[in-house]
Amino acid sequence: MKVVTDASPLNYLVLIDAEHVLPELFREVLVPPEVVQELGHPRTPAKVCAWISTPPPWLRATLSSRGLPDEKLSPGESAAIALAIDAGADALLIDERDGTGAARRLGINTVGTLAVLVIAAEKGLLSLERAIAALRATSFRATPSLLNALLALDKQRSTHSG
């Protein structure tokens, strides 16, 4: 499965030490140069800047041949959506509401950070409980009720599978 990622999922996965799940879940992970630039911005957490300064071999920076002008979207979101179309990606990893809506209107399958974590937990790649606890310590925004519901479903799944 080929995916393109926006900055937010990479940012939070790196912050919680869960970026290792991406090459396990997806055959190919593409990122536009605009997202690499966002992740290396001085306001980005130092841990993320350091990580993106020497990206792992499984993360492939790829330029899109098209532009996607949308004044509501950041350059990274626009570039990620354009690259997802160009590359024929199976999904776009993105969290922001406007970007997700724009991608879906264009027929692109979207997957957020929480979904990546849930899928990784289902495959035994990480503990969802630990990942969500770490995520809660960041600036990631999700309602406590959503996080608690995901944890309850994970607990139920692990009880029935174990």
Side-chain angles (χ1 to χ4, degrees):
M1 175 180 260
K2 181 191 312 181
V3 298
V4 171
T5 186
D6 186 33
S8 178
L10 270 179
N11 178 67
Y12 288 109
L13 292 172
V14 168
L15 285 176
I16 67 169
D17 297 317
E19 75 281 358
H20 68 277
V21 305
L22 292 174
E24 298 288 330
L25 296 176
F26 309 111
R27 175 178 48 83
E28 203 172 351
V29 183
L30 307 177
V31 62
E34 293 87 343
V35 167
V36 172
Q37 202 171 12
E38 281 181 27
L39 293 171
H41 192 276
R43 287 193 312 245
T44 302
K47 180 177 184 176
V48 177
C49 284
W51 183 85
I52 200 65
S53 72
T54 54
W58 53 260
L59 185 69
R60 201 171 89 213
T62 307
L63 194 58
S64 172
S65 64
R66 73 180 75 213
L68 187 73
D70 188 326
E71 48 299 328
K72 287 184 182 177
L73 302 181
S74 75
E77 290 167 333
S78 294
I81 292 169
L83 180 56
I85 294 167
D86 274 1
D90 297 296
L92 171 64
L93 306 183
I94 189 168
D95 289 322
E96 293 76 17
R97 183 176 289 138
D98 290 339
T100 298
R104 287 181 178 165
R105 284 190 295 281
L106 292 167
I108 301 168
N109 180 35
T110 61
V111 178
T113 299
L114 290 174
V116 169
L117 294 174
V118 167
I119 295 165
E122 287 172 352
K123 295 189 179 286
L125 300 174
L126 55 71
S127 158
L128 188 61
E129 187 175 357
R130 283 197 291 274
I132 287 181
L135 205 53
R136 283 180 165 151
T138 71
S139 61
F140 187 84
R141 291 186 306 208
T143 64
S145 59
L146 172 60
L147 297 177
N148 291 335
L150 291 174
L151 288 170
L153 287 171
D154 184 62
K155 189 172 201 150
Q156 185 180 36
R157 178 195 51 80
S158 61
T159 301
H160 290 301
S161 67

